[in-house]
Amino acid sequence: ARAAGRATTKTATESAEAMGYMALAGWNAEESVSGLMPILKLSESTGAELQQTSDLVTDSMSALGLKVKDISPYLDMLVAGNNNANTTAIMLMQSLTKTGGAAKVLDASLEDTITAIGILANNGTKAEEAGTAMNSMLTRMATHDKALDAMEKIGVDIYDVRGNFIGLKQTLVEIDQALSGMSTEKRTAILKNIAGTRYFSRMEYLLAGVRSGADGAASAWDELEKKVVNSEGALDRMNAQVTDTMPAAWERVRSAVNDAKIGIVDEFGNDATQMLDDIALKIPYITDSVTDFLSDHKKEIYDALESGGELLENVTNKAVYAVEFLLDNESAVVGALTAIGTVMVIRKTISAKNSLVAFASELTTPLGVIAGLSAAVGVITGVATAVNRAADAAADANLEKHFGNI
């Protein structure tokens, strides 16, 4: 399964699941290995799920009485039917699973049976419906008294002198020739006795299929069966064409990556399992230790939680009180901040002059004196005004009580 996963668009896991269906069908390990790659290729070529493909291949082969050694020519014929009739390989296998038992009992050839199902598919009867119809018609022609009597009356015998089935195509050709020239009423009555009321129309499709075309042209049956008979290598050709694409290449990369994962697990799986088991064994010990610690220090934990809660509550209350005070005493706070800001401006101005001496030296000229006096008056007036306003507002709001004497 891993080797198949590395080489195809199917993963090793998918391949293993497909082999599971082979085992259910009674295939041994050697048979499953030999059948895996052809089934993988059919799944890739048709786009069908690998599990479904494996299930239908094994079921249809069992119904038809085919052996594992017959798988390659069988799948080639399915691909030929898939590519040359209005059906799919999956539908063909669904049909063959239904009709395989009757075909096996009559010893109808695989080529004839696939061709007949293809003819029915071209006329709108497919999959299990086609298989059920074929199974009923074959069984009726071989065992039903009305069918045997009707064929005897028109001179048709489906067995040769040795008692062997003459073949499905030959039977249909002889019936069609015997009915040739009859009225529609009589023809229909005989077909109902041969194929049954429910399926006589399907029998008519098959008869039309074996009938030669105009000017001796090959019949639809002959054209299709020729493709089925000469189908050797059809699966490989279709698979090469379908998988030679970028999407298929990406799927092969995905399969290879999955194989790498499996390889890593195979290499380190035991060690990883041991590590996880060790962790699992230690978890109960850790749980017990934590539980014991919490139990032994229950009072300290409660006290810490309670103290933390009280501290958080105290900080929260003070923050809320400060915000409420600022909102209620906006004018006082603004006044105080204005006074503080003015003083800081004065300090910054003096510092920028490096020293009071350097500042005073600029007042030696008349213009300097006038400018200095003007600036001084402006500053003093601003400070006085701001301080007076702040003092009044602070008195009302009792700022000193809250922030100290500023």
Side-chain angles (χ1 to χ4, degrees):
R2 285 190 60 187
R6 282 194 294 265
T8 68
T9 62
K10 306 299 179 180
T11 65
T13 301
E14 291 171 324
S15 300
E17 291 172 348
M19 294 181 73
Y21 284 99
M22 300 176 204
L24 290 175
W27 295 14
N28 60 35
E30 184 178 351
E31 290 172 332
S32 297
V33 170
S34 66
L36 179 58
M37 282 305 296
I39 292 175
L40 279 172
K41 288 183 178 180
L42 182 64
S43 174
E44 285 184 321
S45 301
T46 61
E49 292 185 359
L50 180 56
Q51 293 181 38
Q52 180 191 29
T53 303
S54 179
D55 189 28
L56 285 173
V57 167
T58 54
D59 284 353
S60 60
M61 290 182 66
S62 177
L64 290 164
L66 299 176
K67 305 298 183 182
V68 178
K69 64 182 179 61
D70 302 318
I71 190 169
S72 291
Y74 173 55
L75 298 189
D76 282 339
M77 292 182 195
L78 291 178
V79 170
N82 180 97
N83 294 342
N84 296 284
N86 188 19
T87 187
T88 67
I90 293 297
M91 289 180 177
L92 284 171
M93 289 189 289
Q94 291 170 337
S95 299
L96 291 166
T97 300
K98 289 291 185 180
T99 195
K104 178 173 63 175
V105 170
L106 271 177
D107 198 24
S109 72
L110 182 58
E111 294 87 349
D112 270 0
T113 306
I114 291 177
T115 301
I117 293 172
I119 295 294
L120 290 178
N122 289 341
N123 288 277
T125 303
K126 306 177 184 183
E128 293 182 352
E129 183 184 3
T132 301
M134 280 297 303
N135 184 73
S136 177
M137 288 187 284
L138 290 174
T139 302
R140 191 175 177 90
M141 286 190 296
T143 62
H144 201 282
D145 289 339
K146 282 188 176 181
L148 294 172
D149 289 343
M151 288 189 291
E152 184 178 358
K153 288 178 180 179
I154 61 175
V156 174
D157 190 350
I158 66 172
Y159 300 106
D160 61 20
V161 293
R162 296 181 180 179
N164 297 321
F165 183 51
I166 63 174
L168 182 53
K169 178 189 175 184
Q170 186 61 33
T171 298
L172 293 171
V173 169
E174 292 189 11
I175 292 174
D176 186 57
Q177 290 175 348
L179 296 177
S180 177
M182 288 187 182
S183 67
T184 302
E185 182 180 6
K186 189 174 182 179
R187 180 187 180 92
T188 301
I190 293 174
L191 284 179
K192 284 183 178 180
N193 286 329
I194 295 175
T197 302
R198 188 173 182 181
Y199 295 115
F200 79 93
S201 61
R202 272 70 167 189
M203 173 70 79
E204 192 66 84
Y205 294 150
L206 296 176
L207 296 178
V210 298
R211 203 173 299 143
S212 298
D215 300 325
S219 66
W221 183 289
D222 288 340
E223 289 182 351
L224 178 56
E225 188 166 43
K226 181 179 180 180
K227 301 288 181 59
V228 173
V229 171
N230 298 313
S231 61
E232 184 178 357
L235 175 58
D236 286 339
R237 289 191 296 272
M238 184 177 179
N239 182 256
Q241 182 177 2
V242 170
T243 58
D244 188 20
T245 63
M246 182 65 74
W250 277 116
E251 288 300 316
R252 287 191 288 274
V253 170
R254 181 176 67 90
S255 296
V257 170
N258 284 331
D259 177 71
K261 293 178 182 178
I262 295 173
I264 292 172
V265 171
D266 286 347
E267 185 68 28
F268 300 103
N270 291 336
D271 293 335
T273 300
Q274 183 62 50
M275 180 184 70
L276 292 174
D277 286 340
D278 291 343
I279 293 174
L281 291 173
K282 293 183 182 301
I283 287 177
Y285 170 76
I286 296 172
T287 302
D288 292 341
S289 299
V290 172
T291 303
D292 292 341
F293 175 82
L294 294 175
S295 179
D296 294 342
H297 299 83
K298 189 180 298 184
K299 184 177 184 306
E300 292 91 329
I301 294 172
Y302 285 157
D303 290 344
L305 291 175
E306 185 176 357
S307 299
E310 291 176 354
L311 177 61
L312 179 61
E313 182 180 5
N314 187 35
V315 171
T316 302
N317 290 337
K318 289 183 179 297
V320 171
Y321 179 74
V323 171
E324 290 176 347
F325 176 83
L326 293 175
L327 293 175
D328 293 340
N329 301 281
E330 179 182 355
S331 60
V333 175
V334 171
L337 293 176
T338 301
I340 294 171
T342 303
V343 173
M344 292 179 67
V345 169
I346 295 172
R347 289 187 61 188
K348 186 173 182 180
T349 302
I350 294 174
S351 297
K353 300 301 183 179
N354 297 323
S355 68
L356 289 174
V357 176
F359 177 66
S361 65
E362 293 185 4
L363 302 178
T364 57
T365 65
L367 290 177
V369 173
I370 295 172
L373 290 174
S374 297
V377 171
V379 171
I380 293 170
T381 300
V383 171
T385 301
V387 170
N388 288 334
R389 288 177 59 191
D392 293 340
D396 294 338
N398 196 13
L399 269 176
E400 182 176 355
K401 177 180 178 181
H402 299 283
F403 298 104
N405 189 348
I406 61 173

